[in-house]
Amino acid sequence: MTISLNLNGQTHEVDAEPGTPLLWVIRDELKLTGTKFGCGVAACGACTVHLDGEPVRSCQTFIEDIDGAEITTIEKMEEDKVGAAVQKAWLELDVVQCGYCQSGQIMNAVGLLRQNAKPTAEEVDDYMHGNACRCATYQRIRAGVLRASEILEA
């Protein structure tokens, strides 16, 4: 089936079988590799992208369900005010250890800050729950989200 995707502000015509996860279209067909495969069952968050502005797990978002939707990946975040603030905070606080999960962490953090510009530490923990970090940098991730909130406020 041919589907039209609006990905990072550009329209792409993609041929994919029904049941194909968006993750594989992004990585294999469109060659954007910032979005990572982690578990394949939407349990870890490494594959998080934004679908019409909301964080979703692309490994369990199927191509036939998103025709015409606006999809944003980590590659576009530096051009987004909230995304740029999160990335700046990540760099300032040296949040990343191995980095594998970080695109999903950043995409989810942006989703939180768009909904709640001034979250508490507990609200950050609650919202980010479900984004796994095998290096266990959860305190640094929390600090990064809170710092991004400060950057946005300035």
Side-chain angles (χ1 to χ4, degrees):
M1 75 185 270
T2 300
I3 188 164
S4 178
L5 296 180
N6 178 351
L7 183 77
N8 295 336
Q10 296 182 345
T11 301
H12 301 271
E13 296 295 323
V14 177
D15 284 320
E17 294 295 318
T20 301
L22 175 60
L23 174 63
W24 299 130
V25 172
I26 291 169
R27 290 184 58 81
D28 296 344
E29 300 297 322
L30 302 175
K31 308 299 183 201
L32 295 174
T33 57
T35 304
K36 304 299 183 197
F37 173 79
C39 66
V41 295
C44 75
C47 67
T48 302
V49 299
H50 290 178
L51 185 65
D52 292 330
E54 295 295 321
V56 298
R57 305 301 199 244
S58 64
C59 71
Q60 289 293 306
T61 301
F62 301 105
I63 202 76
E64 65 269 19
D65 298 330
I66 59 168
D67 193 17
E70 184 177 322
I71 303 154
T72 308
T73 67
I74 190 69
E75 286 86 357
K76 191 73 168 175
M77 280 296 104
E78 69 187 45
E79 297 174 23
D80 177 270
K81 178 183 176 185
V82 178
V86 172
Q87 289 178 337
K88 181 177 181 182
W90 253 235
L91 290 171
E92 278 183 19
L93 300 178
D94 198 23
V95 170
V96 177
Q97 187 163 327
C98 85
Y100 194 82
C101 70
Q102 292 306 305
S103 62
Q105 300 283 358
I106 289 169
M107 296 301 287
N108 215 42
V110 169
L112 166 60
L113 292 171
R114 283 189 181 148
Q115 291 178 16
N116 180 356
K118 235 12 214 154
T120 65
E122 184 177 334
E123 289 169 330
V124 171
D125 291 346
D126 289 346
Y127 194 92
M128 298 298 288
H129 180 77
N131 274 72
C133 175
R134 293 178 182 140
C135 300
T137 64
Y138 297 110
Q139 286 99 358
R140 293 190 330 220
I141 291 166
R142 179 191 316 114
V145 174
L146 294 173
R147 176 64 184 128
S149 175
E150 293 170 356
I151 291 168
L152 288 166
E153 194 174 52

